[in-house]
Amino acid sequence: MPRSAQVLLALSALLGGAAGMGLQSVLLAYLGLASGHAASGAFGPGVFAAGWCAGAWIAGRHAGRPTRALAALALGGPALGGLCAVGLKSAASAAAASTGLALALVAVAALPQGMLLTLQCRALSRASGAPRLALVYVSNLLGALLGAWWIGLEVSAASGRSAALGVACAVAAASAVCGALGALRTDEESSTGAVATQHAVGDAQAAWIALVTALWVFALEWLCLRLAVLWVGSQLGELTRVVAVALFALALGAALVPRFTHRDARGVLEVLALACIASTWPLWCSPTLDWIVAEVQPAWKASAHWGALADLPLTLALVVPTLAPLGAVLPVLHRAMAGESGARLGRVLGFEAFGALAAGPLLHFVVVPHGGVGLALALAPACALLAALGLARQLALRRGIAAVGALSLVACALAARAPQPALASPKLSDPAFTLRAFAEDAHFAVSVVDDGLLGERTLLTDTFRAAGDGRDYAYMRVLGHLPMLLHPQPERVAVIALGTGTTLGAVVEHEQARSIELFELSPKVVEFAPWFERVNGGALRGEDGALGAQRAARVRVRLGDGRRELGRSTERFDVISIEPLLPDSPFGVYLYTPEFYARVNAALAEDGLFAQWVPPHALAPEVAAAVVEAFARSFEWSSAWTFGTQWILIGGTRAPQLDPARFAALAEPLRSSLAAVGLDTFDGVRARWVADLREWPRSARALSDDDPWIVSRSRADDPPLLEWLPRNFESLTSRATAPPWPANDAADSLARSLAALREARIAHGWREARRRGGELDSLSARELVRTALGADAALAARDPEVRALLDELEFLEQLRAGVAALAVNDARAGLRGCLRAAELRPERADVHLYVAAALHALGQSSGAQAALAKAQQLCPRWRETPQGQRALRLGLPAQ
């Protein structure tokens, strides 16, 4: 038989895998929009895999020659996939789409992709004269790797999701054509079946093993992805690499492991034993991963060729040992069965569908919320025992089954004693942190930590510093207060994303807000809100007296995807405020698109206002411009405001009427809370205004649900990170407009002062960027700000935003001067600078370490011990931090 037939069929499998994974990436993105990303993560991959397996089962029952079926799939497969994707896209635009219908569309679209593999396997067995599943299976997995990276990431980044769908359908057609051409050369041959042996695996036995191992594989893939978020990162490119490496691991196992196992049921037991050991690898691999982070990653980052893939060694080390043995299960099980090759494959994959469907919901809603990733990994080896029991009726294998069972139980027992693997990740094991609370739910690993170096309590969702109670988060109070002050009668309010509850706490201080809906995805974030009562005022519980109880009674918590829940709500809100994830995060991006803003507009009452945070320090200039442009073109009236270094965008149907008389009626404690952020007067509110956004320029590439390009864009040409803030502020202030509310001379003076402050921030941002490059300015940062404020400096200095900036700049100057003096053995000058820094930031452990070093150098041992004790109290593991190491180098004694 011509070798060309085998080549064509292998190529067909490769292209089929690429098309299937590319189609899956598009479908799951639309599913997340239609049903919420929680449902998409829990059900989407399993439903697609179940549809794929059902397709394989259907093709396995087709007894005819595969040529005609493959030819029909060349047209029918892409058409069906495309129609399902279009239907799912339409469902995503509906405010209350049916989750069941959306999942059904995903499953139906996957059917033709599964049919391909069975037909390819049948044709290849004819071409080679022997069952050769491994060749098409490995080719299919490698093709899926290609599809995840090329179609799912690169094509989407370059041309949008619709283009990725078109490419996936075209590749699917090419796969079927290649398969048909290869099968055409085998039609005169008869398909070869496996010969039954003493230890052959029966159909019922194979069905049970396939079901259990499919659940096992999908569970481990999900768990590896979850851990990779903590170790590698959560950007789309990083997540795509994890998926690609998982497919590579399965392909590697499918290609290598069957060569070293028996060709009957004994080989199945051998693979199960190997997979049992491997599945606990994530519990014990943290020393290896730490070594890679410390030794390997820096070298890759410094390489001009490998810098963009610096996380790849870490991903390989985590995923490949865990998943590779399980890649061998299907080929080994298939060859241990009797019957025609395609029929056998269809029967096995038909039952894999049930395991694939069960894995996601079981992890999302049962295991991880109750015991975390650690419990899930501790239970994983039990799958080896469950699968091995499928062979229990073969008495000749009882010793092998007993061995697998014993190994499984020992692995579970050892794994149950292991610490939570999430806590070993670099972020959560940071020596600057003291862990106060930790829990996992279906969405995040949620932590509350005290950061001894920054002197603040912080909420982490996975590795993202979501919020804290430090000085840098005052803008969160403004995000709550500002729209409440702009609206004449804000009675019904929605807050999307709780975080530490700072914005919610600001909203509940306004007694006009009779009903407050809180939309939050993570139940653990809500559970941890009491850790941040210093900034949220106990807004979610009434244990602080009658006032606290009254406030908490006005708040209703709605758990779920905020975008979906807002669309499903029948309430109409006077004010909606949101501080979501960063715009360029894979799921956060959909809270910055015109389609989301359309839902916001639908949820706003007449004259309602919507306020959204945008972080100019964390967005490349072209991303920031696209985010603002999407907001500006979604509301009839839109505006930009600033507080500190953060932007607040406010939109509605028309400009609100800001009444100066309203501020005279403010009562305590609201007046004091507003005064702390400079919003207790008409002049103070008006001064935060920057621009009317209706004339904001159009972006070259608009941001949308169908083209969320900012999450997959190349960052190679971005300016340095420290330049993002000044560049973005320059872009915004260059389009500044007069506030829509006339005012007196005093109000105009304060507005001019804060406009000058923004210019000073730009100059300071460029100064910091140059400083990082080794350039130093003779003019101090505080002098730079005072010069920018000019004649209005005295008036502006009474504003809390100005005072906060001057205070921060003085702290940095004194700390840097003190440390520089200690570095040249000038202990007295070093002590002056560090003491002043400690006065300004007594909550920070690092300043006390430097004070202790200076006092020790001056021979003042008792003072040095007191300062060191303070640092030890704030940061018990200070010796392991870079700042602690610096203090030791500057003369602080090790003991």
Side-chain angles (χ1 to χ4, degrees):
M1 187 58 55
R3 185 174 182 83
S4 59
Q6 298 184 41
V7 172
L8 283 168
L9 290 167
L11 178 61
S12 174
L14 183 82
L15 294 174
M21 186 55 69
L23 181 62
Q24 178 180 318
S25 70
V26 174
L27 291 170
L28 295 192
Y30 289 145
L31 178 64
L33 294 171
S35 305
H37 290 288
S40 176
F43 299 108
V47 168
F48 185 89
W52 189 91
C53 290
W57 176 78
I58 292 170
R61 292 175 63 85
H62 172 71
R65 292 172 177 173
T67 305
R68 291 182 179 179
L70 286 165
L73 285 176
L75 294 176
L80 183 61
L83 286 173
C84 289
V86 170
L88 196 55
K89 181 180 177 181
S90 299
S93 63
S98 166
T99 299
L101 174 61
L103 291 171
L105 289 172
V106 171
V108 171
L111 282 170
Q113 307 306 314
M115 292 179 182
L116 282 172
L117 185 66
T118 300
L119 296 172
Q120 291 155 355
C121 180
R122 174 172 291 145
L124 187 62
S125 70
R126 293 170 179 267
S128 61
R132 296 190 60 183
L133 170 65
L135 177 60
V136 291
Y137 183 53
V138 170
S139 298
N140 187 268
L141 288 170
L142 293 177
L145 186 162
L146 178 65
W149 187 259
W150 174 50
I151 301 176
L153 186 64
E154 297 295 337
V155 175
S156 293
S159 305
R161 192 160 288 140
S162 294
L165 174 62
V167 171
C169 291
V171 173
S175 169
V177 169
C178 288
L181 291 174
L184 186 63
R185 301 170 182 240
T186 70
D187 278 349
E188 299 305 319
E189 303 296 326
S190 60
S191 181
T192 304
V195 179
T197 66
Q198 180 183 359
H199 299 300
V201 178
D203 286 356
Q205 297 169 336
W208 173 252
I209 295 170
L211 188 155
V212 173
T213 54
L215 186 151
W216 195 1
V217 169
F218 276 87
L220 284 178
E221 285 182 334
W222 189 90
L223 293 169
C224 284
L225 192 64
R226 180 74 173 253
L227 288 175
V229 167
L230 298 170
W231 279 92
V232 179
S234 58
Q235 292 298 309
L236 184 61
E238 295 158 342
L239 297 179
T240 302
R241 272 192 286 277
V242 175
V243 172
V245 168
L247 293 166
F248 169 75
L250 294 172
L252 186 68
L256 297 181
V257 174
R259 298 173 180 270
F260 304 99
T261 61
H262 286 87
R263 302 185 64 86
D264 52 22
R266 292 171 295 175
V268 175
L269 291 175
E270 290 159 359
V271 172
L272 292 176
L274 184 60
C276 175
I277 298 170
S279 62
T280 64
W281 168 249
L283 291 169
W284 317 109
C285 68
S286 57
T288 301
L289 302 184
D290 285 335
W291 175 79
I292 292 173
V293 170
E295 303 295 334
V296 179
Q297 272 195 331
W300 279 54
K301 288 180 179 178
S303 169
H305 300 291
W306 300 103
L309 298 174
D311 58 278
L312 183 58
L314 200 61
T315 308
L316 288 167
L318 172 65
V319 176
V320 172
T322 307
L323 288 175
L326 283 166
V329 171
L330 183 60
V332 170
L333 185 61
H334 176 265
R335 77 183 181 189
M337 297 170 64
E340 189 270 327
S341 180
R344 279 182 286 146
L345 181 61
R347 292 196 297 272
V348 171
L349 290 178
F351 282 91
E352 280 199 0
F354 297 102
L357 281 174
L362 189 63
L363 287 173
H364 267 258
F365 303 118
V366 181
V367 180
V368 171
H370 288 89
V373 170
L375 175 63
L377 288 170
L379 293 175
C383 292
L385 172 58
L386 290 175
L389 289 176
L391 299 172
R393 297 184 66 179
Q394 296 199 32
L395 298 180
L397 298 175
R398 59 185 180 276
R399 290 185 179 178
I401 296 171
V404 171
L407 183 63
S408 175
L409 294 175
V410 170
C412 287
L414 292 175
R417 299 173 62 88
Q420 282 286 357
L423 296 177
S425 62
K427 177 64 77 174
L428 296 184
S429 60
D430 188 331
F433 291 167
T434 300
L435 186 68
R436 297 302 181 192
F438 173 80
E440 294 177 87
D441 58 26
H443 313 287
F444 304 111
V446 183
S447 312
V448 177
V449 299
D450 285 343
D451 188 332
L453 293 181
L454 292 181
E456 64 185 31
R457 179 160 290 172
T458 300
L459 176 74
L460 299 175
T461 52
D462 291 330
T463 61
F464 178 62
R465 191 183 284 261
D469 64 2
R471 304 166 192 259
D472 292 340
Y473 298 98
Y475 74 89
M476 293 183 175
R477 300 203 298 275
V478 177
L479 185 63
H481 286 310
L482 185 57
M484 298 294 290
L485 293 170
L486 292 174
H487 195 283
Q489 193 65 31
E491 296 183 351
R492 295 157 299 173
V493 183
V495 176
I496 304 176
L498 174 63
T500 56
T502 305
T503 299
L504 176 66
V507 168
V508 299
E509 289 188 286
H510 295 259
E511 296 300 330
Q512 292 168 299
R514 298 178 182 178
S515 171
I516 303 169
E517 298 264 348
L518 171 66
F519 297 90
E520 171 56 46
L521 178 65
S522 169
K524 294 303 178 183
V525 168
V526 175
E527 180 183 320
F528 287 169
W531 286 98
F532 298 95
E533 289 192 353
R534 189 173 75 81
V535 291
N536 65 39
L540 289 181
R541 66 178 189 176
E543 298 178 7
D544 301 317
L547 179 61
Q550 182 183 12
R551 289 178 175 176
R554 294 149 55 203
V555 180
R556 177 189 173 198
V557 178
R558 295 182 59 166
L559 290 173
D561 183 285
R563 171 177 163 140
R564 176 173 169 80
E565 291 301 315
L566 183 67
R568 289 160 58 95
S569 175
T570 57
E571 188 77 32
R572 293 298 173 261
F573 302 100
D574 300 311
V575 167
I576 301 174
S577 181
I578 181 172
E579 184 186 0
L581 295 171
L582 293 175
D584 56 356
S585 61
F587 307 122
V589 65
Y590 300 111
L591 297 173
Y592 295 86
T593 61
E595 291 85 353
F596 169 63
Y597 297 138
R599 295 193 180 189
V600 170
N601 275 310
L604 284 174
E606 185 177 359
D607 295 330
L609 295 174
F610 173 65
Q612 183 169 46
W613 163 76
V614 172
H617 68 288
L619 301 178
E622 70 168 341
V623 174
V627 167
V628 175
E629 189 256 340
F631 187 96
R633 65 186 169 98
S634 299
F635 295 92
E636 295 182 39
W637 174 81
S638 57
S639 58
W641 309 64
T642 64
F643 187 87
T645 59
Q646 304 303 297
W647 295 354
I648 296 172
L649 308 184
I650 298 182
T653 55
R654 57 176 174 262
Q657 298 301 313
L658 185 61
D659 184 6
R662 181 176 183 178
F663 295 89
L666 291 174
E668 295 294 344
L670 177 59
R671 177 179 291 277
S672 295
S673 179
L674 292 171
V677 289
L679 298 179
D680 57 325
T681 65
F682 170 83
D683 297 355
V685 172
R686 184 177 179 273
R688 314 297 164 192
W689 166 279
V690 180
D692 187 316
L693 296 177
R694 285 175 291 184
E695 299 302 321
W696 189 268
R698 292 278 179 172
S699 296
R701 185 174 177 183
L703 180 63
S704 69
D705 280 355
D706 195 48
D707 188 13
W709 59 270
I710 62 175
V711 302
S712 52
R713 56 183 287 275
S714 171
R715 291 164 172 77
D717 297 327
D718 284 349
L721 181 64
L722 285 179
E723 293 184 10
W724 291 3
L725 181 69
R727 286 179 184 271
N728 287 330
F729 259 84
E730 284 179 341
S731 177
L732 180 63
T733 57
S734 68
R735 297 174 175 86
T737 60
W741 310 284
N744 56 31
D745 291 343
D748 283 336
S749 177
L750 182 58
R752 286 196 305 272
S753 296
L754 291 191
L757 182 68
R758 288 188 283 271
E759 296 298 327
R761 287 191 187 278
I762 294 171
H764 176 60
W766 284 116
R767 184 177 184 272
E768 288 295 297
R770 290 193 299 269
R771 186 177 183 275
R772 181 65 59 89
E775 300 180 33
L776 297 177
D777 293 344
S778 58
L779 188 68
S780 75
R782 280 185 296 159
E783 291 171 343
L784 184 151
V785 172
R786 291 195 177 101
T787 300
L789 294 175
D792 296 322
L795 173 65
R798 297 199 294 270
D799 185 88
E801 185 179 348
V802 178
R803 291 199 307 270
L805 177 60
L806 292 172
D807 181 74
E808 176 68 15
L809 295 179
E810 182 183 3
F811 165 72
L812 291 174
E813 287 176 4
Q814 294 295 333
L815 179 63
R816 289 168 177 173
V819 172
L822 288 175
V824 295
N825 298 318
D826 187 349
R828 293 190 182 279
L831 182 61
R832 283 196 301 271
C834 294
L835 275 176
R836 179 56 181 157
E839 291 173 4
L840 293 166
R841 295 290 186 272
E843 69 274 14
R844 290 183 54 146
D846 56 345
V847 295
H848 298 290
L849 291 173
Y850 300 137
V851 168
L855 289 171
H856 177 77
L858 293 172
Q860 301 180 31
S861 58
S862 60
Q865 287 298 320
L868 186 58
K870 180 65 174 176
Q872 180 76 29
Q873 178 187 2
L874 293 171
C875 186
R877 296 169 58 198
W878 62 266
R879 289 177 179 83
E880 302 172 48
T881 67
Q883 293 84 346
Q885 292 296 311
R886 177 189 288 179
L888 292 171
R889 291 194 299 270
L890 292 174
L892 184 66
Q895 299 295 330

